[in-house]
Amino acid sequence: MAAKKTGKVTATKSAKRVANTPSIASAPIVPSWHVAPDSTRAWKTLKKLSVRGKQAQLRTLFAKDRKRGDTFSANALGIHLDYAKNLIDGVTMDALHALASECGVARHMKAMFAGEHINLTEKRAVLHVALRAPKGAVIKVDGENVVPLVHEVLDRMSAFAQRVRSGSWKGFTGKRIRAVVNIGIGGSDLGPVMAYEALKNFSERDAADRSMVFRFVSNVDGEDFYEKTRDLNPEETLFIVSSKTFTTLETMTNANTARAWSLAKLKNPAAVAKHFVAVSTNAAEVSKFGIDTANMFGFWDWVGGRYSMDSAIGLSTMLAVGPTGFSEMLAGMHDMDEHFRSAPAKKNLPMLMALVGLWNREFMGFGTVAVLPYCQYLSRFSAYLQQLEMESNGKQVQLDGTPVRWETSPVIWGEPGTNGQHAFYQMIHQGTSPVPCDFIAFARPLHDVDVHHDILIANLLAQGEALAFGKTPQEVRAEGTPSWLVPHRTFPGNRPSNTLLCEQLSPRMLGRLIALYEHKVFVQGSIWRVNSFDQWGVELGKVLAKNIIPELSGSAKKPNHDSSTQGLISRYRALRGRAK
Ligand code: G6Q
């Protein structure tokens, strides 16, 4: 009963906030400390240093400083960051730190933690850090301390998760829930999938076991829904409809299909209350869909989609690893928030990763970054980071709307090692464009199976070494290789990488890693002077798709497209047996 009441309160507050969307009539005021990077002294210094950087050789840099590995590494919270295999030196690092200072990164960070409206184009605060603040902390948005609101939702999520995990939450026909299907896309999917994969080993806690099945339906492609539900029993299946707006085309299409799929077996619309819960900020739409807002878990407009996996959007994660595991993940994120806030810049992990990344992107001209976790549990980590980094910082204009005069987000991609080694590492080692790599590994495995872990870690270390130092033609020749084959077997080396060697994977460690990358993105966005918290670039395609949908099915008036698009529409219609 209490939960129900709280649910309604949360829903009403959320709805009010959605209705209070700020006016876009007036342009935002960009704080004066947000200076353009190319107007700083440090930028000019770095441009000069880049000439030297492009000629530098890692072999020489390592020979000159025998302790380079120590010089360019930092350690905090069980994470060791070795960035020595980048084409940097002390002077470059000093200039990069000066750039961060001149660009007001520290002031910007303060503004974020203080709940200022740093998402300037949407006129909102950016407070994912409040989602992991401990009970009792005070973080205000527009004068209101939001930490109690966060914990109120977390408590409701915990109570619900315990009921489902213990089997006391029953489906409509009285059976316990054995399958949880999260329906969501983008920020309402990538974090939850990544965290589930990363932490599934920790699901045998809080008196639950790993017998519960977790699925994630995101794509509007009906094949996704079909494959993820084909072997499930509606009587034992709980759907979490995760959508901040509750209007996203893909998610609402999948949610409607899920409701029909459930009711085809359960027959009674009253079953929806037992088999559907919602995670959203939009109580009105949740109600319209037929979900009781008592079963809605809210969050707030100051939580961006790609920064929301630690909000109620993480409900599937909590169902999988239990409230204890989830709060450990939050504690890990909070650890990194505090580190980011308080560690000196030269020992600050997010700051160092951001600055080295920025050096590689702007000054060395490298266009992509491969994230290569040597840990099968992190199989979706690169996909998650793809959104975090590219949606946040893949921008062409500055905060004031003027074009950027520098590079912004690189392309982020990657797969877990060692699989990638047998696929695309050829290009990383001998292709024409160097690809800076982030190697990520845990020293202690969760399951120490025979010799596997040493082999895994040896491979990670070998890749970083091979990329950095390569193999010269002389070395190849000295092995007795025939001269015609020498060029093929030569490795140019001098290719940069970071290595993150962490103690052991746990919910807390995962939380630290996620927040590390979140803050890295923050620092880079801050220096690039872009809004890392909006995503206008995804809008146009959505609008065009809405126009095209009726044209495919035939109900629309005469379409008006370019000849390429029109031709494809006609061909599609013909292949589906529809009239010309
Ligand atoms: C993330 C983006 C985007 C969003 C999805 C889903 O920062 O805003 O990926 O998460 O479009 O949106 P809904 O949660 O509103 O369905």
Side-chain angles (χ1 to χ4, degrees):
M1 195 57 204
K4 192 166 178 174
K5 196 170 158 220
T6 320
K8 292 221 158 110
V9 170
T10 309
T12 316
K13 279 186 182 166
S14 303
K16 214 159 98 196
R17 271 175 212 145
V18 167
N20 285 344
T21 305
S23 149
I24 54 165
S26 59
I29 296 164
V30 181
S32 56
W33 41 265
H34 249 315
V35 302
D38 62 350
S39 66
T40 63
R41 279 178 53 195
W43 187 267
K44 286 167 195 108
T45 308
L46 285 160
K47 280 285 168 195
K48 283 188 201 137
L49 289 173
S50 71
V51 177
R52 198 173 78 185
K54 282 177 185 154
Q55 287 158 3
Q57 288 296 319
L58 284 170
R59 282 184 181 232
T60 320
L61 293 174
F62 272 88
K64 266 206 229 152
D65 176 2
R66 294 272 161 203
K67 293 201 168 141
R68 186 176 164 87
D70 294 336
T71 313
F72 298 108
S73 60
N75 217 298
L77 303 172
I79 300 174
H80 180 82
L81 165 66
D82 182 316
Y83 59 101
K85 295 190 188 85
N86 283 284
L87 289 154
I88 46 145
D89 57 19
V91 180
T92 317
M93 286 312 296
D94 286 345
L96 286 165
H97 284 292
L99 177 68
S101 306
E102 285 190 75
C103 289
V105 173
R107 178 65 186 82
H108 194 206
M109 176 178 70
K110 256 192 204 139
M112 172 171 75
F113 279 91
E116 289 176 32
H117 288 203
I118 64 164
N119 176 348
L120 294 181
T121 57
E122 296 176 319
K123 302 191 174 174
R124 290 175 185 163
V126 173
L127 266 181
H128 41 280
V129 293
L131 298 170
R132 53 256 194 165
K135 251 183 193 155
V138 177
I139 300 181
K140 290 190 178 170
V141 179
D142 303 326
E144 182 183 21
N145 180 15
V146 296
V147 179
L149 304 181
V150 167
H151 281 274
E152 182 186 297
V153 175
L154 280 173
D155 290 346
R156 291 182 56 234
M157 287 166 64
S158 300
F160 175 71
Q162 262 149 358
R163 287 181 70 191
V164 174
R165 284 166 62 81
S166 68
S168 73
W169 176 283
K170 301 279 188 250
F172 191 62
T173 58
K175 295 190 174 167
R176 68 175 289 177
I177 298 299
R178 301 212 173 269
V180 173
V181 182
N182 185 73
I183 298 180
I185 196 163
S188 301
D189 169 68
L190 288 158
V193 179
M194 180 274 286
Y196 172 69
E197 287 301 324
L199 299 180
K200 57 189 173 193
N201 180 70
F202 295 89
S203 49
E204 288 176 1
R205 302 169 109 189
D206 298 341
D209 57 27
R210 279 181 72 165
S211 61
M212 209 146 67
V213 168
F214 285 83
R215 302 267 167 84
F216 297 84
V217 176
S218 51
N219 200 325
V220 76
D221 185 347
E223 318 289 20
D224 195 19
F225 184 86
Y226 170 79
E227 283 297 332
K228 303 275 173 57
T229 54
R230 56 178 283 282
D231 55 347
L232 301 182
N233 176 359
E235 291 175 281
E236 299 175 342
T237 302
L238 175 77
F239 289 96
I240 306 174
V241 185
S242 296
S243 175
K244 182 174 169 181
T245 53
F246 229 72
T247 55
T248 304
L249 178 67
E250 291 89 337
T251 300
M252 296 326 295
T253 306
N254 279 319
N256 284 318
T257 301
R259 189 175 46 193
W261 178 88
S262 270
L263 295 184
K265 171 102 186 234
L266 301 172
K267 308 292 182 202
N268 190 334
V272 170
K274 292 285 167 197
H275 293 272
F276 284 80
V277 297
V279 177
S280 187
T281 55
N282 191 345
E285 286 299 320
V286 168
S287 243
K288 235 197 252 169
F289 180 84
I291 297 175
D292 186 344
T293 48
N295 297 332
M296 163 176 163
F297 301 89
F299 58 116
W300 305 272
D301 65 2
W302 39 263
V303 181
R306 55 194 172 276
Y307 297 90
S308 68
M309 58 171 290
D310 44 340
S311 72
I313 289 290
L315 184 60
S316 59
T317 315
M318 191 191 270
L319 283 164
V321 302
T324 313
F326 195 76
S327 60
E328 285 168 7
M329 184 183 82
L330 298 186
M333 295 174 115
H334 181 68
D335 294 339
M336 189 54 75
D337 296 341
E338 290 302 300
H339 167 81
F340 179 47
R341 258 216 291 205
S342 58
K346 294 193 171 173
K347 293 189 185 314
N348 195 304
L349 301 183
M351 179 66 89
L352 290 168
M353 285 192 70
L355 295 180
V356 170
L358 195 133
W359 168 256
N360 284 335
R361 179 73 185 107
E362 174 68 26
F363 300 99
M364 301 302 291
F366 302 143
T368 85
V369 172
V371 180
L372 307 163
Y374 278 62
C375 172
Q376 195 57 30
Y377 285 120
L378 293 195
S379 60
R380 298 297 293 158
F381 198 61
S382 317
Y384 165 75
L385 288 183
Q386 239 165 20
Q387 182 189 28
L388 181 68
E389 301 215 19
M390 292 162 71
E391 198 166 54
S392 296
N393 286 339
K395 306 284 161 70
Q396 59 177 352
V397 294
Q398 303 179 52
L399 289 165
D400 57 10
T402 57
V404 294
R405 298 176 292 270
W406 43 86
E407 299 292 350
T408 59
S409 176
V411 175
I412 306 291
W413 57 288
E415 283 289 324
T418 57
N419 300 26
Q421 292 175 204
H422 295 262
F424 52 80
Y425 277 41
Q426 163 63 40
M427 178 266 198
I428 293 188
H429 285 286
Q430 291 186 319
T432 49
S433 310
V435 177
C437 300
D438 281 359
F439 293 107
I440 304 174
F442 301 97
R444 282 182 280 124
L446 293 175
H447 306 284
D448 207 354
V449 184
D450 198 20
V451 293
H452 286 249
H453 204 64
D454 285 351
I455 297 176
L456 177 75
I457 301 301
N459 270 279
L460 165 135
L461 297 172
Q463 293 302 325
E465 203 172 29
L467 282 171
F469 305 112
K471 201 169 185 182
T472 63
Q474 292 83 335
E475 286 165 345
V476 179
R477 229 173 272 124
E479 287 173 346
T481 308
S483 39
W484 68 268
L485 201 49
V486 169
H488 299 277
R489 301 192 66 160
T490 297
F491 288 74
N494 221 28
R495 302 195 163 201
S497 65
N498 291 317
T499 302
L500 288 164
L501 184 58
C502 314
E503 283 168 8
Q504 188 173 42
L505 178 60
S506 64
R508 194 158 190 151
M509 185 57 82
L510 182 74
R512 290 171 180 174
L513 275 175
I514 294 165
L516 166 58
Y517 276 94
E518 282 179 349
H519 296 317
K520 171 202 154 183
V521 168
F522 177 87
V523 172
Q524 292 188 334
S526 188
I527 296 175
W528 285 328
R529 202 171 181 247
V530 296
N531 185 354
S532 303
F533 306 103
D534 62 11
Q535 56 283 316
W536 301 103
V538 302
E539 293 303 321
L540 178 59
K542 285 190 202 170
V543 173
L544 297 185
K546 280 202 175 136
N547 295 338
I548 294 174
I549 291 166
E551 295 167 8
L552 296 182
S553 59
S555 57
K557 292 190 204 116
K558 203 171 162 28
N560 179 20
H561 297 282
D562 61 274
S563 59
S564 162
T565 310
Q566 190 54 58
L568 291 165
I569 291 174
S570 303
R571 182 162 294 270
Y572 175 81
R573 287 177 56 92
L575 289 168
R576 297 294 310 260
R578 293 173 190 162
K580 279 203 169 170

